[in-house]
Amino acid sequence: MVAPKKPVPAGLSGASELFQLLRDGRPRTRAELADTTGLARSTVGLRLDALLELGLIRPIGEGASSGGRPPSQFALDPSARVVVGADLGATHATIAVADLSGAILLTHREALAIADGPEKVLTWVVDETRSLLAEAGRSPADLLAVGVGLPGPVEHDTGRPVNPPIMPGWDGFDVPGWIFDALGVPALVDNDVNIMAIGEQSRSFPEVSDLLFVKVATGIGSGIISGGLLQRGAQGSAGDIGHVRIERGKGVACHCGNFGCLEAMASGPAIARQVRAEGADVETMADVIDLLRRNDLRAIRAVRQAGRDIGEVLTTCVSLVNPSVIVLGGSVTRAGEHLLAGVREVVYQSSTPLATEHLSIVQSRTAENAAVIGACILALQFALSPQAIERMSAR
Ligand SMILES: [Zn+2]
C-alpha cells in the first residue's frame, strides 16, 4: 500500500515542509523523511542541505561531525537561534530569552508600571532584550522574533491594544512597528490570558488539545485552546468571562457599568470586600490569603464561594467547548484548594456526565511563569511557521 502524500500548503514547496516535521526535535533518517513526505530521496537531500545551511537542523549519529559516511539522522538544532518573550503586567514585567525548543535560557523580572506608557515600557523591553542576548552570549542576529503579552485587549492581526482600561497612552499604539524599528525583528502581541493559556498548554499539557485557562486576579478572564489552537474569536475577545452575569451577583455594581458580573463577585478585590464585610481586618486578596493560612472560616467561606461562582460560568463554557483540562491561574489561585474545591463542586455537579467524564480541573503548574513562557512560544510559533522558514530559505 502506498501512503497518501501529505498536501503541501499553498505557496510552499521548499525546505519548510521538511522543517515542520523536524521541529519536534525527534531525529529522522532521509528514508523516514522521504516516506512521510512522499518526496524523492534526492529532493529530501536537497532540502536538508538548505536547512543545514540555514543552521536550523543538525546531523545526528554516525559521521555527523567529521568526513566519512554521510550523517544518518537529522533533527532541529534548538540552539540555532533564539526568541524573546515579555510579559508586561500592570505593575511588573518579566522578560526571557528562549531557544528553539521553547526552553527558557535566562529570565529577568522587575517592577515596571504599564501606565508609564508605550515608549517607556517598550524601551525597557528593547534594552532588556539586548542585555539578555549579551548575557546569553548570543548576537542580535540570532534573534528571530519577540512575543509580548499585555494586560488588556489586543487586536491580534495588528498587535495594537484596543481601549485597554488600565493602559493610558496605549490605545491603538503600533507595538510591533515600534519593536521592529528598534530590533529589526517581528513582534507578536496578545493579551496576558491568551499567552498564559499557550504557556501552560505547551509546558504542562503538550498532549492536551482542548484546554481552558482561567486567570483569577484583579480581573477574571480565560484563554481557550480548542483543537490545539488558541481561539481569539472575531474581535479577539473570546474567553472574556469576567463580565458574565451570575446568580448571586444580583444588584452588585461592577466597574464595567453593569450589575452582577462574575468579576464583581469572585475577583481578588471582590473576595477581600466580602471578607471585610464579615468583620475581618483585610485590605487586599494577599491579606485574605494570610487569613486562609490561619484557617479563618470567613476567608475559607468567601474563597470557596468565589470558586462556586466561577464554576457557575465555567459550567456553560464546558458545555460549549468541551475541554479536557481546566487550569486555574492568577494571583487569587494562591488561595489553593479552597478555590479549586468550589469550582469543582459546581462544574462536576451541573455538567453532563459525558462532558466531565475525563475533565480535570487543576491549578496552574507554571504559575507566575505561564505568561512569559507563552510569550516565547507565541514568538516561536511565528518564527518557525512554514511561511517564515520559506522566507528564510529564499534569502
Ligand atoms: Zn462587569
Side-chain angles (χ1 to χ4, degrees):
M1 213 179 102
V2 180
K5 285 190 182 184
K6 269 188 119 186
V8 180
L12 299 175
S13 54
S16 59
E17 188 195 0
L18 272 199
F19 182 73
Q20 298 310 311
L21 282 174
L22 292 166
R23 258 182 80 174
D24 63 6
R26 186 167 79 74
R28 289 176 177 82
T29 62
R30 280 190 171 81
E32 262 181 279
L33 288 167
D35 281 352
T36 317
T37 56
L39 295 168
R41 287 265 196 123
S42 54
T43 312
V44 167
L46 286 172
R47 292 180 186 176
L48 283 172
D49 286 346
L51 289 171
L52 285 165
E53 208 166 301
L54 282 173
L56 291 174
I57 62 166
R58 62 182 173 190
I60 287 170
E62 258 179 276
S65 52
S66 58
R69 289 183 52 192
S72 47
Q73 290 186 310
F74 300 87
L76 168 78
D77 180 0
S79 67
R81 300 280 206 288
V82 291
V83 293
V84 160
D87 161 31
L88 306 176
T91 56
H92 280 83
T94 310
I95 188 163
V97 57
D99 71 13
L100 296 188
S101 73
I104 303 288
L105 306 175
L106 286 170
T107 308
H108 177 69
R109 179 176 163 86
E110 70 178 63
L112 181 72
I114 199 83
D116 284 347
E119 274 96 358
K120 188 169 174 204
V121 170
L122 294 177
T123 297
W124 180 87
V125 170
V126 167
D127 291 346
E128 289 302 321
T129 296
R130 291 192 177 120
S131 66
L132 277 180
L133 287 175
E135 204 182 323
R138 309 300 304 235
S139 96
D142 289 342
L143 181 66
L144 283 182
V146 175
V148 179
L150 293 174
V154 174
E155 188 183 61
H156 179 67
D157 291 344
T158 62
R160 294 170 188 259
V162 189
N163 298 319
I166 61 162
M167 298 168 60
W170 287 81
D171 186 26
F173 192 86
D174 182 11
V175 178
W178 205 92
I179 291 181
F180 187 86
D181 287 346
L183 293 170
V185 295
L188 293 302
V189 190
D190 212 328
N191 74 62
D192 52 357
V193 191
N194 281 349
I195 63 166
M196 286 166 103
I198 293 173
E200 185 75 33
Q201 192 261 350
S202 73
R203 190 55 46 93
S204 313
F205 302 96
E207 308 303 324
V208 171
S209 52
D210 296 278
L211 175 146
L212 208 56
F213 186 97
V214 184
K215 180 190 176 189
V216 191
T218 309
I220 297 177
S222 73
I224 306 162
I225 291 176
S226 185
L229 295 174
L230 183 76
Q231 303 297 325
R232 296 185 171 89
Q235 310 299 327
S237 75
D240 199 355
I241 57 173
H243 301 281
V244 172
R245 230 170 273 189
I246 59 163
E247 199 54 43
R248 194 172 69 94
K250 264 196 190 108
V252 179
C254 177
H255 62 86
C256 73
N258 281 331
F259 289 87
C261 299
L262 176 64
E263 203 165 290
M265 301 305 292
S267 63
I271 294 171
R273 187 191 69 225
Q274 290 161 66
V275 176
R276 205 159 48 232
E278 297 265 321
D281 180 23
V282 293
E283 271 299 313
T284 63
M285 186 62 207
D287 300 333
V288 175
I289 290 174
D290 281 343
L291 273 189
L292 275 179
R293 296 210 174 100
R294 283 179 265 141
N295 288 322
D296 183 286
L297 281 178
R298 296 164 297 187
I300 292 174
R301 268 200 306 270
V303 167
R304 186 150 182 141
Q305 183 55 49
R308 290 192 197 102
D309 295 339
I310 295 165
E312 183 182 329
V313 175
L314 289 182
T315 300
T316 307
C317 301
V318 165
S319 300
L320 270 178
V321 298
N322 185 206
S324 46
V325 180
I326 294 177
V327 183
L328 296 184
S331 56
V332 171
T333 56
R334 283 203 306 260
E337 283 299 315
H338 299 296
L339 188 81
L340 212 54
V343 174
R344 285 177 176 149
E345 185 187 316
V346 171
V347 172
Y348 287 129
Q349 218 168 63
S350 330
S351 306
T352 64
L354 187 61
T356 52
E357 195 184 346
H358 300 291
L359 172 66
S360 349
I361 303 175
V362 299
Q363 193 125 341
S364 168
R365 296 178 193 161
T366 53
E368 62 267 27
N369 293 321
V372 77
I373 294 169
C376 289
I377 301 291
L378 191 67
L380 273 178
Q381 284 174 346
F382 176 83
L384 301 183
S385 67
Q387 291 76 8
I389 299 300
E390 199 77 1
R391 274 196 301 274
M392 276 171 89
S393 55
R395 259 185 237 136

